[in-house]
Amino acid sequence: MRDSVIQINLFTAVKDKAVDYIALVKLRLTMMVVFSAGMGYTIVSYQAMNWNDLLIILFSGFLITGSANGINQIIERKLDALMTRTKKRPLATGRIGLTEAVVITTLMGIVGAVLLGTYLNALSAIIATSSLIVYAFIYTPLKRITRLSVLAGAISGAAPPLIGYTAATGGFSELCGLLFLVQFVWQLPHFWAVAWMLDDDYKKAGFRLLPSLVGRGPESAKYIFGSTLLLIPINVYFIAANYVGYAVGTVLILVTLNFLYQAYRLLKTEDLTDARKLMFGSFYYLPLIQILLLIGILL
């Protein structure tokens, strides 16, 4: 009986620690980033897919992104404790100690970069490491200083397709730049929709994340709509430059128009319900666009 109790307690402890590590690396966000890196690789190398290389990209991307997310929580652990959304995070509650988190996140970042540099190429490793640095050490502290922090966050957030693309090719191209541009512009309405939803909570920690000084309101809604509108000419260019045919291109435009309509609804109503719809719309917009681009290039 005593051995059974010990085994149950051990299992519970391991499970709880695993849950805390999942929260530390922000698993859902990390998997979105990993998906984009994988798509960047696949879009350019579909004719000569190396599955070992793809697995290295996915695993390295997971480690580096998880490291960046963990460092973000290390830096913001006291601020996280002030906000309803984040007060139960493992560092904010002390379930994971500071030293433990520093060791884990440092090892993850180093191992991820070394894997990319050793088995693929130095350029992809440099981009990945730079992305980590920008997110953790530039974007994170800027969140309390300036509304322009979104630009640093968008640069870091748009790096994954670059990492995948350069891992496959060792260089840049127009298509590589377009993949980066789509993800960079997408970051703006996505980021601001989340900030609109959580504005009251963010203010508890002194974060300035909406584009307007007053926070929610017509000015912020105009920025959100305007940034979403920029996605239209980018997707039109994919058609004009013959990256995709008219059939797939038409679907690209329709999907983008739907996303734009969600931003328009927020512009008209300034309502939390429409901000929530835009936020969830942004979650599926980017992977759907990337899948459509892959299909278009395959065809």
Side-chain angles (χ1 to χ4, degrees):
M1 177 67 73
R2 183 172 176 272
D3 289 342
S4 298
V5 172
I6 292 173
Q7 289 176 352
I8 292 171
N9 289 338
L10 179 61
F11 174 79
T12 301
V14 171
K15 182 186 71 173
D16 290 344
K17 181 61 72 172
V19 170
D20 287 338
Y21 285 155
I22 287 171
L24 180 67
V25 302
K26 300 180 183 177
L27 183 62
R28 186 176 66 178
L29 174 60
T30 297
M31 295 310 294
M32 287 182 64
V33 172
V34 168
F35 178 83
S36 289
M39 290 302 293
Y41 176 85
T42 304
I43 285 172
V44 71
S45 61
Y46 65 92
Q47 290 180 324
M49 178 73 72
N50 186 315
W51 292 101
N52 288 332
D53 288 352
L54 179 60
L55 288 175
I56 290 170
I57 291 167
L58 297 178
F59 184 58
S60 298
F62 177 85
L63 292 175
I64 293 168
T65 306
S67 173
N69 288 331
I71 294 170
N72 169 268
Q73 291 186 57
I74 290 170
I75 295 171
E76 294 183 344
R77 63 193 184 279
K78 294 180 180 179
L79 299 175
D80 281 344
L82 301 175
M83 296 183 289
T84 303
R85 184 179 68 95
T86 56
K87 66 182 181 181
K88 293 183 179 180
R89 283 178 173 174
L91 274 162
T93 60
R95 297 195 309 274
I96 291 181
L98 179 59
T99 301
E100 180 183 358
V102 169
V103 170
I104 291 169
T105 55
T106 301
L107 285 175
M108 288 176 67
I110 292 173
V111 172
V114 168
L115 283 174
L116 276 177
T118 301
Y119 292 100
L120 294 169
N121 55 62
L123 180 58
S124 60
I126 290 170
I127 294 171
T129 304
S130 299
S131 174
L132 184 156
I133 292 170
V134 170
Y135 181 83
F137 300 110
I138 298 178
Y139 162 70
T140 296
L142 281 180
K143 286 162 63 178
R144 302 187 76 207
I145 299 172
T146 174
R147 293 165 293 156
L148 296 177
S149 64
V150 64
L151 299 179
I155 290 172
S156 176
L162 283 187
I163 296 168
Y165 193 101
T166 55
T169 66
F172 301 104
S173 70
E174 181 183 68
L175 179 58
C176 177
L178 288 169
L179 294 174
F180 173 85
L181 187 59
V182 167
Q183 193 145 326
F184 176 85
V185 174
W186 165 84
Q187 292 274 334
L188 303 178
H190 165 73
F191 180 92
W192 285 329
V194 174
W196 190 292
M197 289 292 303
L198 301 173
D199 191 43
D200 293 333
D201 211 19
Y202 282 149
K203 285 177 179 176
K204 297 174 185 176
F207 291 147
R208 303 169 61 187
L209 300 180
L210 281 171
S212 169
L213 280 173
V214 299
R216 297 182 186 127
E219 186 177 349
S220 288
K222 288 176 183 176
Y223 275 102
I224 293 171
F225 179 78
S227 61
T228 311
L229 186 62
L230 293 175
L231 291 167
I232 297 293
I234 299 172
N235 282 281
V236 168
Y237 188 79
F238 279 115
I239 305 170
N242 293 319
Y243 288 113
V244 299
Y246 286 109
V248 173
T250 299
V251 180
L252 280 175
I253 299 300
L254 289 175
V255 170
T256 304
L257 286 173
N258 179 67
F259 190 36
L260 182 63
Y261 176 74
Q262 293 173 324
Y264 173 76
R265 288 296 306 164
L266 180 59
L267 176 66
K268 298 302 291 184
T269 67
E270 299 175 22
D271 188 81
L272 280 174
T273 300
D274 287 311
R276 184 179 292 108
K277 289 179 180 178
L278 178 64
M279 179 182 72
F280 283 113
S282 70
F283 289 147
Y284 69 74
Y285 174 79
L286 184 65
L288 183 54
I289 288 295
Q290 291 173 334
I291 291 170
L292 286 169
L293 287 173
L294 176 60
I295 292 171
I297 291 171
L298 285 171
L299 295 176

